[in-house]
Amino acid sequence: QSETVGSRNAWEKAADTYKAWRRLPAFRYADWAAFACAAPYSTIWVAVEMGGVPLHEFEHPERAVYVLGSEDAGLPPSVVRACHLCVSLEGLRAASYNVAVAGSILMYDRHRKLGGAKDVAVLEGGERVDAAPG
């Protein structure tokens, strides 16, 4: 599911050739307070922002809402403080990623660490190894 806060971006105007916003549950909130009131019960909020636990060290909660900020400004400090955890994505060439790329990296890492990628192989030192042994 997808959730947005504020009116800055509209799904209908996004460069989404598949129009995914028509096919998945999508919620739009006027502001952070409205989101906070409607957030799923007993779910950990995870801010994705610089200064958090590096992704390679991060342990994903079983139930989580990942909160990503805008590409140009990130998350406001008040939103980061409202979250239970904070994770950061290491960047090689830039301090931040496009929101879609950041979300993809995060979800791949979550899938891999929580045991969903047993059949995925990666190259490690030039040799093929299982990404998630077991």
Side-chain angles (χ1 to χ4, degrees):
Q1 109 181 8
S2 175
E3 302 183 42
T4 63
V5 176
S7 61
R8 180 174 173 187
N9 297 311
W11 298 301
E12 301 85 356
K13 295 178 183 175
D16 177 3
T17 57
Y18 290 100
K19 298 191 180 359
W21 53 270
R22 292 183 180 171
R23 295 176 182 85
L24 62 96
F27 301 91
R28 196 177 276 151
Y29 300 97
D31 54 31
W32 179 254
F35 166 78
C37 289
Y41 178 73
S42 72
T43 301
I44 303 296
W45 296 355
V46 181
V48 181
E49 187 62 51
M50 293 184 292
V53 175
L55 184 60
H56 70 275
E57 297 175 12
F58 187 71
E59 293 183 32
H60 295 271
E62 183 179 345
R63 293 179 44 136
V65 171
Y66 295 92
V67 182
L68 290 85
S70 65
E71 296 168 13
D72 56 351
L75 290 171
S78 60
V79 171
V80 175
R81 284 191 304 273
C83 291
H84 303 97
L85 302 172
C86 184
V87 62
S88 65
L89 306 179
E90 299 87 4
L92 296 176
R93 295 191 178 110
S96 66
Y97 292 99
N98 163 290
V99 172
V101 171
S104 297
I105 291 169
L106 192 64
M107 291 299 103
Y108 173 78
D109 187 74
R110 177 183 171 81
H111 182 72
R112 188 178 63 81
K113 287 178 179 174
L114 294 181
K118 290 183 177 16
D119 297 330
V120 175
V122 295
L123 292 179
E124 192 171 278
E127 295 190 30
R128 188 179 168 114
V129 297
D130 287 333

